[in-house]
Amino acid sequence: QSCEKATREYGVNLIVSQAVVELCTKDMAMRMRLIDKVVMKGSRQPMELYSIDLDTVGLEVDAPTDTPIVWNPRQRFKSRQRMEMEKASKWSDDVQMSDYFEGIFSTDIAVMMRPFTDEFQHVFSMGYQNYVEGEWQAAKQLLSQTRTMLDGKEDGPSVALLQYMRDPYLFEAPEGWTGVRVLDRFDLD
């Protein structure tokens, strides 16, 4: 539940914990962006948080058809069959989730990933590394850049880290900073 609430803190649609990333294939794990290392409410162990960067705004929505579908038992049966076949194909041992990110099975995920360029990923990674190391002035410069690199949309993790460093620390890492922050009930309520 805390990871779910953290999506609001970081302004992302999907946050994945370190434990989940460790269960993924290497290809899939590489598609997730490390956005912070935190201690969650009720825990004592630090945990890395990752975002799967997908921007749904870039997707085209199918136009509604003029002729409504008449849902009769036959139509429902055909629809369920189609969905079951699609589900079975995705659960096949031959399918790797990372292939979806490559656009092999569908272009939708590739479209949703488009704003998160290699340059964006690289600059964020450098900003995050400076944040962890306590070099908050350098982190401020880099994360301020990534905050606005997404085609006019703000990057939530950049905003969250900048806000944490600004209030109450004024971009000076606190004494004894270890690169881990506590997400307490005030952050997640």
Side-chain angles (χ1 to χ4, degrees):
Q1 183 181 2
S2 294
C3 276
E4 183 180 334
K5 288 181 179 180
T7 60
R8 287 191 303 248
E9 169 78 13
Y10 293 95
V12 296
N13 294 322
L14 186 59
I15 283 185
V16 180
S17 71
Q18 179 179 349
V20 172
V21 172
E22 290 170 358
L23 294 172
C24 292
T25 64
K26 184 179 177 183
D27 283 345
M28 191 62 203
M30 287 176 47
R31 306 211 181 278
M32 299 180 201
R33 174 170 51 132
L34 176 59
I35 59 172
D36 211 349
K37 189 168 186 176
V38 301
V39 174
M40 292 281 198
K41 180 181 174 186
S43 175
R44 294 173 198 241
Q45 294 288 39
M47 169 177 53
E48 292 179 339
L49 297 179
Y50 294 80
S51 171
I52 298 179
D53 293 323
L54 300 171
D55 180 17
T56 57
V57 174
L59 289 178
E60 289 187 28
V61 178
D62 294 335
T65 60
D66 291 336
T67 57
I69 297 173
V70 178
W71 287 107
N72 56 39
R74 180 179 166 90
Q75 283 295 105
R76 282 190 171 86
F77 178 74
K78 281 183 167 183
S79 180
R80 273 196 300 270
Q81 265 187 322
R82 216 174 9 257
M83 288 189 307
E84 283 299 320
M85 285 175 45
E86 202 172 307
K87 182 172 101 176
S89 74
K90 290 178 181 172
W91 280 100
S92 166
D93 289 338
D94 299 335
V95 174
Q96 296 293 319
M97 284 311 297
S98 59
D99 291 343
Y100 283 91
F101 286 78
E102 292 292 330
I104 292 171
F105 295 112
S106 168
T107 58
D108 288 348
I109 292 179
V111 167
M112 289 188 285
M113 289 179 59
R114 193 173 294 140
F116 302 94
T117 63
D118 289 342
E119 178 187 5
F120 169 83
Q121 298 288 355
H122 180 69
V123 174
F124 182 87
S125 180
M126 289 189 312
Y128 178 75
Q129 194 60 43
N130 279 287
Y131 160 77
V132 168
E133 296 296 327
E135 300 292 333
W136 284 11
Q137 289 298 319
K140 175 185 175 186
Q141 288 181 324
L142 294 162
L143 294 171
S144 293
Q145 227 182 309
T146 57
R147 190 180 130 246
T148 58
M149 285 177 75
L150 301 177
D151 298 334
K153 183 179 172 206
E154 277 196 327
D155 176 53
S158 298
V159 170
L161 296 179
L162 287 165
Q163 185 175 352
Y164 177 73
M165 290 185 290
R166 183 186 67 227
D167 300 322
Y169 301 109
L170 299 173
F171 299 101
E172 292 296 326
E175 181 105 10
W177 170 250
T178 61
V180 178
R181 74 171 173 148
V182 175
L183 284 183
D184 59 17
R185 62 184 174 83
F186 300 110
D187 293 327
L188 298 176
D189 286 342

